[in-house]
Short mmCIF file of all heavy atoms in Angstrom, two decimals:
data_model
loop_
_atom_site.label_atom_id
_atom_site.label_comp_id
_atom_site.label_asym_id
_atom_site.label_seq_id
_atom_site.Cartn_x
_atom_site.Cartn_y
_atom_site.Cartn_z
N SER A 1651 74.33 51.01 15.05
CA SER A 1651 73.95 51.79 16.24
C SER A 1651 74.76 53.07 16.32
O SER A 1651 75.85 53.16 15.75
CB SER A 1651 74.19 50.96 17.52
OG SER A 1651 73.47 49.75 17.47
N ILE A 1652 74.23 54.04 17.04
CA ILE A 1652 74.85 55.37 17.14
C ILE A 1652 74.87 55.80 18.60
O ILE A 1652 73.88 55.63 19.32
CB ILE A 1652 74.06 56.39 16.29
CG1 ILE A 1652 74.09 55.99 14.82
CG2 ILE A 1652 74.62 57.80 16.47
CD1 ILE A 1652 73.04 56.68 13.99
N VAL A 1653 75.99 56.40 19.01
CA VAL A 1653 76.10 57.00 20.34
C VAL A 1653 76.69 58.39 20.18
O VAL A 1653 77.72 58.57 19.51
CB VAL A 1653 76.99 56.16 21.28
CG1 VAL A 1653 77.06 56.81 22.66
CG2 VAL A 1653 76.46 54.73 21.40
N ILE A 1654 76.03 59.39 20.75
CA ILE A 1654 76.46 60.78 20.67
C ILE A 1654 76.63 61.32 22.08
O ILE A 1654 75.81 61.06 22.96
CB ILE A 1654 75.41 61.64 19.93
CG1 ILE A 1654 75.08 61.07 18.55
CG2 ILE A 1654 75.88 63.09 19.84
CD1 ILE A 1654 76.15 61.27 17.51
N ALA A 1655 77.71 62.08 22.31
CA ALA A 1655 77.92 62.70 23.61
C ALA A 1655 78.12 64.20 23.44
O ALA A 1655 78.67 64.65 22.43
CB ALA A 1655 79.11 62.08 24.33
N SER A 1656 77.67 64.95 24.42
CA SER A 1656 77.78 66.41 24.37
C SER A 1656 77.94 66.95 25.79
O SER A 1656 77.43 66.36 26.75
CB SER A 1656 76.53 67.01 23.72
OG SER A 1656 76.51 68.42 23.84
N GLU A 1657 78.66 68.06 25.92
CA GLU A 1657 78.79 68.69 27.23
C GLU A 1657 77.51 69.42 27.61
O GLU A 1657 77.27 69.67 28.79
CB GLU A 1657 79.97 69.67 27.23
CG GLU A 1657 81.33 68.98 27.14
CD GLU A 1657 82.48 69.95 27.20
OE1 GLU A 1657 82.22 71.18 27.25
OE2 GLU A 1657 83.63 69.51 27.17
N LYS A 1658 76.71 69.77 26.63
CA LYS A 1658 75.45 70.47 26.88
C LYS A 1658 74.29 69.63 26.36
O LYS A 1658 74.46 68.79 25.48
CB LYS A 1658 75.45 71.84 26.20
CG LYS A 1658 76.54 72.78 26.71
CD LYS A 1658 76.45 74.13 25.99
CE LYS A 1658 77.51 75.09 26.49
NZ LYS A 1658 77.46 76.41 25.80
N ASN A 1659 73.12 69.88 26.90
CA ASN A 1659 71.93 69.22 26.39
C ASN A 1659 71.84 69.50 24.89
O ASN A 1659 71.81 70.66 24.47
CB ASN A 1659 70.69 69.76 27.11
CG ASN A 1659 69.43 69.01 26.74
OD1 ASN A 1659 69.25 68.58 25.60
ND2 ASN A 1659 68.55 68.84 27.71
N PRO A 1660 71.82 68.47 24.05
CA PRO A 1660 71.83 68.70 22.60
C PRO A 1660 70.64 69.51 22.11
O PRO A 1660 70.73 70.15 21.05
CB PRO A 1660 71.84 67.29 22.01
CG PRO A 1660 71.36 66.41 23.11
CD PRO A 1660 71.81 67.04 24.39
N PHE A 1661 69.55 69.49 22.85
CA PHE A 1661 68.37 70.24 22.43
C PHE A 1661 68.44 71.71 22.84
O PHE A 1661 67.51 72.47 22.61
CB PHE A 1661 67.11 69.58 22.98
CG PHE A 1661 66.98 68.14 22.58
CD1 PHE A 1661 67.08 67.14 23.51
CD2 PHE A 1661 66.80 67.79 21.24
CE1 PHE A 1661 66.99 65.80 23.14
CE2 PHE A 1661 66.71 66.46 20.85
CZ PHE A 1661 66.81 65.47 21.81
N GLU A 1662 69.57 72.10 23.43
CA GLU A 1662 69.82 73.50 23.74
C GLU A 1662 70.96 74.07 22.89
O GLU A 1662 71.44 75.17 23.15
CB GLU A 1662 70.17 73.64 25.23
CG GLU A 1662 69.03 73.22 26.17
CD GLU A 1662 69.43 73.27 27.63
OE1 GLU A 1662 70.62 73.56 27.90
OE2 GLU A 1662 68.57 73.00 28.49
N LEU A 1663 71.38 73.31 21.88
CA LEU A 1663 72.50 73.74 21.04
C LEU A 1663 72.06 74.45 19.77
O LEU A 1663 72.89 74.92 19.00
CB LEU A 1663 73.36 72.52 20.66
CG LEU A 1663 74.10 71.82 21.80
CD1 LEU A 1663 74.81 70.57 21.27
CD2 LEU A 1663 75.11 72.76 22.45
N GLY A 1664 70.76 74.50 19.52
CA GLY A 1664 70.27 75.11 18.28
C GLY A 1664 70.58 74.27 17.06
O GLY A 1664 70.86 74.81 15.98
N LEU A 1665 70.53 72.95 17.20
CA LEU A 1665 70.83 72.05 16.09
C LEU A 1665 69.70 72.06 15.06
O LEU A 1665 68.56 72.42 15.37
CB LEU A 1665 71.01 70.62 16.62
CG LEU A 1665 72.12 70.41 17.65
CD1 LEU A 1665 72.06 68.99 18.19
CD2 LEU A 1665 73.48 70.70 17.04
N PRO A 1666 70.00 71.66 13.82
CA PRO A 1666 68.94 71.56 12.81
C PRO A 1666 67.84 70.60 13.26
O PRO A 1666 68.11 69.62 13.97
CB PRO A 1666 69.68 71.00 11.58
CG PRO A 1666 71.10 71.36 11.79
CD PRO A 1666 71.33 71.33 13.27
N GLU A 1667 66.63 70.89 12.85
CA GLU A 1667 65.49 70.08 13.28
C GLU A 1667 65.64 68.61 12.90
O GLU A 1667 65.27 67.71 13.66
CB GLU A 1667 64.19 70.64 12.68
CG GLU A 1667 62.94 69.92 13.15
CD GLU A 1667 61.68 70.52 12.58
OE1 GLU A 1667 61.77 71.57 11.89
OE2 GLU A 1667 60.59 69.95 12.80
N ARG A 1668 66.22 68.35 11.71
CA ARG A 1668 66.39 66.97 11.27
C ARG A 1668 67.30 66.20 12.21
O ARG A 1668 67.06 65.02 12.51
CB ARG A 1668 66.99 66.93 9.85
CG ARG A 1668 66.07 67.43 8.76
CD ARG A 1668 66.76 67.40 7.42
NE ARG A 1668 67.11 66.04 7.04
CZ ARG A 1668 68.05 65.73 6.15
NH1 ARG A 1668 68.76 66.70 5.59
NH2 ARG A 1668 68.28 64.48 5.83
N LEU A 1669 68.33 66.85 12.71
CA LEU A 1669 69.25 66.18 13.63
C LEU A 1669 68.60 66.00 14.99
O LEU A 1669 68.70 64.93 15.61
CB LEU A 1669 70.55 66.98 13.76
CG LEU A 1669 71.62 66.41 14.69
CD1 LEU A 1669 71.93 64.96 14.34
CD2 LEU A 1669 72.88 67.26 14.64
N GLU A 1670 67.92 67.03 15.48
CA GLU A 1670 67.23 66.91 16.77
C GLU A 1670 66.22 65.76 16.74
O GLU A 1670 66.08 65.01 17.70
CB GLU A 1670 66.53 68.22 17.11
CG GLU A 1670 67.46 69.32 17.60
CD GLU A 1670 66.69 70.48 18.21
OE1 GLU A 1670 65.44 70.49 18.09
OE2 GLU A 1670 67.33 71.36 18.81
N SER A 1671 65.51 65.65 15.61
CA SER A 1671 64.50 64.61 15.48
C SER A 1671 65.13 63.22 15.59
O SER A 1671 64.59 62.33 16.26
CB SER A 1671 63.78 64.75 14.13
OG SER A 1671 62.89 63.67 13.93
N ARG A 1672 66.27 63.04 14.95
CA ARG A 1672 66.94 61.74 15.00
C ARG A 1672 67.50 61.43 16.39
O ARG A 1672 67.46 60.30 16.84
CB ARG A 1672 68.03 61.67 13.93
CG ARG A 1672 67.45 61.41 12.55
CD ARG A 1672 68.30 61.96 11.42
NE ARG A 1672 67.64 61.74 10.15
CZ ARG A 1672 66.62 62.46 9.69
NH1 ARG A 1672 66.13 63.45 10.41
NH2 ARG A 1672 66.08 62.19 8.52
N LEU A 1673 68.02 62.44 17.05
CA LEU A 1673 68.54 62.23 18.39
C LEU A 1673 67.43 61.87 19.37
O LEU A 1673 67.63 61.05 20.28
CB LEU A 1673 69.28 63.48 18.87
CG LEU A 1673 70.55 63.88 18.11
CD1 LEU A 1673 71.13 65.17 18.68
CD2 LEU A 1673 71.58 62.77 18.15
N SER A 1674 66.28 62.47 19.20
CA SER A 1674 65.18 62.25 20.14
C SER A 1674 64.54 60.88 19.99
O SER A 1674 63.73 60.47 20.83
CB SER A 1674 64.11 63.34 19.96
OG SER A 1674 63.51 63.26 18.68
N ALA A 1675 64.89 60.14 18.93
CA ALA A 1675 64.28 58.84 18.69
C ALA A 1675 64.86 57.74 19.58
O ALA A 1675 64.32 56.64 19.64
CB ALA A 1675 64.45 58.44 17.22
N GLY A 1676 65.96 58.02 20.27
CA GLY A 1676 66.59 57.00 21.10
C GLY A 1676 66.49 57.31 22.58
O GLY A 1676 65.45 57.73 23.08
N ILE A 1677 67.59 57.08 23.28
CA ILE A 1677 67.67 57.36 24.72
C ILE A 1677 68.52 58.60 24.93
O ILE A 1677 69.67 58.65 24.47
CB ILE A 1677 68.30 56.17 25.48
CG1 ILE A 1677 67.38 54.95 25.39
CG2 ILE A 1677 68.55 56.53 26.94
CD1 ILE A 1677 67.95 53.72 26.06
N VAL A 1678 67.97 59.59 25.60
CA VAL A 1678 68.71 60.81 25.91
C VAL A 1678 68.83 60.88 27.43
O VAL A 1678 67.83 60.92 28.14
CB VAL A 1678 67.98 62.06 25.38
CG1 VAL A 1678 68.79 63.32 25.70
CG2 VAL A 1678 67.75 61.95 23.86
#
Side-chain angles (χ1 to χ4, degrees):
S1651 303
I1652 298 163
V1653 181
I1654 305 286
S1656 171
E1657 291 182 357
K1658 298 181 179 179
N1659 187 324
F1661 303 112
E1662 297 176 357
L1663 294 175
L1665 301 173
E1667 184 178 354
R1668 291 178 63 201
L1669 180 53
E1670 284 193 351
S1671 174
R1672 281 153 183 77
L1673 295 178
S1674 65
I1677 294 178
V1678 181

